[in-house]
Amino acid sequence: MSQICVKALIKGMVQGVGFRFHTAHQGLKFGLTGYAKNLPDGSVEVLACGHEEKVNQLLRWLEDGPRTSRVDSVESEEVEWRHVDGFEIM
């Protein structure tokens, strides 16, 4: 299984609804590392690194997000592998 890093941009009602917390929880559940951070435009950026299959599972989860949120779109791209400790909420 190959290791990859993917950066995703999630738009919708994703700030102030626990989106980063739930994303970090899911990421750790899938054995991934990375971060979830709010951006000034109201979107959330997620970096997820780990086994390709698990990263794809998180990307599918991000399409809906937690029940408290509303996801309008998820744009993702593979980025250069980097080692990250844990799954940080920024």
Side-chain angles (χ1 to χ4, degrees):
M1 234 189 276
S2 61
Q3 300 266 5
I4 63 168
C5 281
V6 171
K7 190 177 281 187
L9 181 67
I10 301 91
K11 294 183 179 180
M13 192 179 77
V14 292
Q15 288 193 10
V17 292
F19 194 92
R20 293 175 301 153
F21 171 82
H22 288 287
T23 300
H25 177 77
Q26 287 296 128
L28 291 171
K29 193 168 115 178
F30 293 140
L32 303 174
T33 62
Y35 63 77
K37 74 175 179 181
N38 286 339
L39 297 180
D41 68 357
S43 62
V44 170
E45 179 181 282
V46 173
L47 176 74
C49 300
H51 291 295
E52 186 173 6
E53 177 185 315
K54 297 297 185 182
V55 170
N56 288 330
Q57 276 185 287
L58 181 64
L59 288 173
R60 285 192 297 275
W61 180 86
L62 288 172
E63 294 285 337
D64 294 317
R67 285 190 304 254
T68 52
S69 70
R70 185 194 76 242
V71 176
D72 294 336
S73 69
V74 177
E75 299 170 19
S76 61
E77 65 176 337
E78 193 167 337
V79 295
E80 188 175 324
W81 171 261
R82 63 179 112 165
H83 176 76
V84 183
D85 288 325
F87 209 105
E88 192 175 356
I89 299 170
M90 301 171 74

